[in-house]
Amino acid sequence: MLFQNARIENAEKTADFRVEDGKFLAFAEKLRPLEGEETVDLAGKLVLPPFIESHVHLDTCLTAGDPVWNMSGTLFEGIECWAKRKDKLSPEDIRQRVRQAVRLYARNGVQFIRSHVDVTDPKLTAMETMLELREELRDVMTIQIVAFPQEGILSYPNGKELLEEAVKMGADCVGAIPHYEFTREYSVESLNFALELAAENDRLVDVHCDEIDDEASRGLETVAARALELGLFDKVTASHTTAMHSYNNAYVLRLMRLLKMSRINFVCNPLVNTHLQGRIDTYPRRRGVTRVKELTAEGLNVSFGHDDIFDPWYPMGSGSLRDVVFLGLHVTQMMGYEEIMNSYKFITHNAARTLHLGESYGLEAGRPASFIVLDAENYYDALNRNAPVLASYKAGKLLSRTKPAEAELLF
Ligand code: FE2
């Protein structure tokens, strides 16, 4: 199958590419159709590698207002709402919501998801169900699962054993939540435990790290130090790191050296953290978003995630990562021309590094023919006009297509 006139990753000139047996066979400025070959004219539209959701909680998504709405919008009322919803949690309930969320993502060009799944549950119901769904949905969505100890590893009964069990069951990544542990000592011990567990079992690590406005929350330095000492490096990701927003600059200067040595990844969740952080401030009120601009400038890898979709903690979300990038650029003040043009990398290449997708991702001959077509000439234009994803192909198979809306002006 031959795709013609694609504008690949903001290129000024168009190019053609051929797909065979689910893989990219060749890219060139012009490729001649073979006899009887099916051709698709992309008419100069933007072609990108598929979007990647690098941080979401699929086990809680699509539960906002059920049974009660979060009236204040705070994290704490969100936890109360979830406690009421948790009674209804069953494998069938999770299956239905996750399938629906995956369809929302799919229509927006997302083909890879890293989902955190709560393992502070003696029955590990969500983990078991998510592992089944990972297999069921494999052809349409690649799902990576993080064993996420929502209520702590040391501060929850049998927290260590539950995390170990989740890894044995087949979780791809080990999580932790140092800022939620009872004490600073527990926080450090929980990180030692999680990173050692990952090293022993050859898993990735993704820590909910310092998601708090407390400038004294310093789980990140422990995550980075252990990543370095255990030789895990970029297998480790620190998600949120919102406390870094509040750190003093002298400390950040010292920390940055360690971060660079550790080569860990970062995931910033601008929608949820601008919404939930800074709630105890009067004015000025903190933005609650980690230092994306500075981390990027230092060569560290940062991606953007949605975090929550229409649940007790975040009442919005339609599975579009465009919204995440759009707000992310505003709140991190990354609105220079090149920054806007290249911002798709937060939800493509950078996220692929975090998820360790390797050669299963990217627009290159020999790799799976997974790509999306946007109704725009370049990503600046796509982002600005909220251009729809016209088509999403995964390993050569068309997963979704969208007809752009037509407006008629009557003046
Ligand atoms: Fe999260």
Side-chain angles (χ1 to χ4, degrees):
M1 196 166 178
L2 182 64
F3 293 85
Q4 297 169 307
N5 303 311
R7 216 175 285 272
I8 294 172
E9 297 201 35
N10 295 336
E12 281 184 15
K13 280 189 182 169
T14 60
D16 299 348
F17 57 94
R18 176 164 282 127
V19 169
E20 205 179 272
D21 297 330
K23 292 198 165 167
F24 291 120
L25 199 67
F27 289 83
E29 204 175 312
K30 274 279 162 246
L31 288 169
R32 212 180 274 256
L34 305 170
E35 213 182 293
E37 188 177 30
E38 193 182 336
T39 60
V40 179
D41 182 6
L42 296 176
K45 302 290 185 196
L46 174 65
V47 168
L48 294 178
F51 290 147
I52 301 169
E53 169 62 277
S54 53
H55 187 119
V56 70
H57 299 253
L58 286 178
D59 53 341
T60 62
C61 69
L62 307 179
T63 57
D66 180 11
V68 288
W69 288 98
N70 183 341
M71 300 308 265
S72 65
T74 59
L75 172 70
F76 294 103
E77 194 177 332
I79 293 169
E80 282 169 31
C81 294
W82 181 244
K84 292 187 181 113
R85 181 60 175 73
K86 238 177 165 174
D87 297 339
K88 281 209 265 176
L89 207 61
S90 71
E92 195 42 40
D93 160 52
I94 296 170
R95 273 185 217 116
Q96 272 185 18
R97 286 185 290 104
V98 171
R99 286 180 192 135
Q100 206 184 332
V102 162
R103 293 177 76 81
L104 287 176
Y105 275 121
R107 59 193 274 182
N108 287 294
V110 176
Q111 293 183 16
F112 300 83
I113 296 176
R114 175 179 279 183
S115 177
H116 299 256
V117 179
D118 186 4
V119 294
T120 49
D121 160 20
K123 290 189 189 150
L124 294 172
T125 304
M127 177 53 68
E128 203 179 321
T129 311
M130 280 302 304
L131 289 166
E132 284 168 25
L133 286 162
R134 182 179 69 184
E135 300 314 309
E136 176 192 311
L137 298 164
R138 187 173 281 280
D139 292 341
V140 291
M141 191 67 71
T142 305
I143 300 176
Q144 211 171 68
I145 294 175
V146 185
F148 169 51
Q150 171 94 62
E151 295 183 48
I153 298 173
L154 280 276
S155 313
Y156 184 79
N158 300 320
K160 284 183 175 177
E161 289 76 13
L162 287 166
L163 198 58
E164 280 173 334
E165 184 57 26
V167 168
K168 259 192 224 140
M169 286 164 74
D172 303 287
C173 316
V174 180
I177 187 161
H179 57 279
Y180 196 80
E181 299 285 353
F182 290 151
T183 66
R184 199 197 66 84
E185 289 75 15
Y186 279 15
S187 151
V188 172
E189 193 184 332
S190 72
L191 289 171
N192 289 341
F193 180 79
L195 271 75
E196 278 163 20
L197 182 64
E200 281 161 19
N201 291 277
D202 192 24
R203 301 300 154 98
L204 302 172
V205 175
D206 196 329
V207 175
H208 273 68
C209 195
D210 307 316
E211 189 185 6
I212 191 165
D213 293 322
D214 173 11
E215 75 105 17
S217 184
R218 295 188 174 182
L220 180 56
E221 61 183 24
T222 306
V223 170
R226 295 297 171 270
L228 173 69
E229 290 161 359
L230 291 167
L232 290 169
F233 299 108
D234 65 347
K235 287 183 175 169
V236 176
T237 296
S239 282
H240 296 289
T241 60
T242 54
M244 195 201 270
H245 186 98
S246 301
Y247 290 164
N248 68 74
N249 288 340
Y251 175 66
V252 172
L253 194 69
R254 185 192 112 194
L255 179 65
M256 203 59 94
R257 174 174 170 265
L258 170 63
L259 297 180
K260 284 196 281 186
M261 288 165 74
S262 75
R263 308 202 303 264
I264 63 169
N265 307 295
F266 290 81
V267 181
C268 169
N269 300 296
L271 295 171
V272 170
N273 286 133
T274 50
H275 160 57
L276 290 180
Q277 306 308 126
R279 290 277 180 154
I280 43 137
D281 292 356
T282 53
Y283 287 95
R285 181 167 283 183
R286 285 169 286 181
R287 293 174 184 220
V289 168
T290 195
R291 301 189 187 200
V292 178
K293 198 176 181 120
E294 292 74 12
L295 290 167
T296 303
E298 294 286 354
L300 285 151
N301 184 45
V302 186
S303 64
F304 282 168
H306 208 304
D307 200 8
D308 292 279
I309 292 196
F310 196 70
D311 70 10
W313 297 278
Y314 186 71
M316 300 272 172
S318 58
S320 171
L321 294 183
R322 181 265 177 185
D323 300 342
V324 178
V325 176
F326 190 74
L327 181 73
L329 294 187
H330 284 77
V331 79
T332 60
Q333 300 184 330
M334 296 182 79
M335 302 281 274
Y337 178 80
E338 288 290 338
E339 287 171 323
I340 297 171
M341 193 62 109
N342 286 312
S343 58
Y344 69 94
K345 292 181 183 171
F346 286 122
I347 52 168
T348 57
H349 296 292
N350 298 7
R353 277 175 67 184
T354 296
L355 269 67
H356 276 243
L357 297 182
E359 294 190 356
S360 66
Y361 185 84
L363 308 180
E364 277 184 47
R367 299 193 178 191
S370 302
F371 62 96
I372 57 175
V373 184
L374 282 102
D375 190 19
E377 284 196 358
N378 56 50
Y379 193 67
Y380 192 125
D381 182 34
L383 186 70
N384 190 33
R385 291 190 299 105
N386 193 10
V389 172
L390 298 175
S392 175
Y393 287 83
K394 190 168 174 75
K397 196 176 139 205
L398 183 61
L399 287 187
S400 76
R401 57 182 166 219
T402 298
K403 279 196 192 126
E406 259 178 53
E408 203 179 341
L409 293 174
L410 306 173
F411 61 86

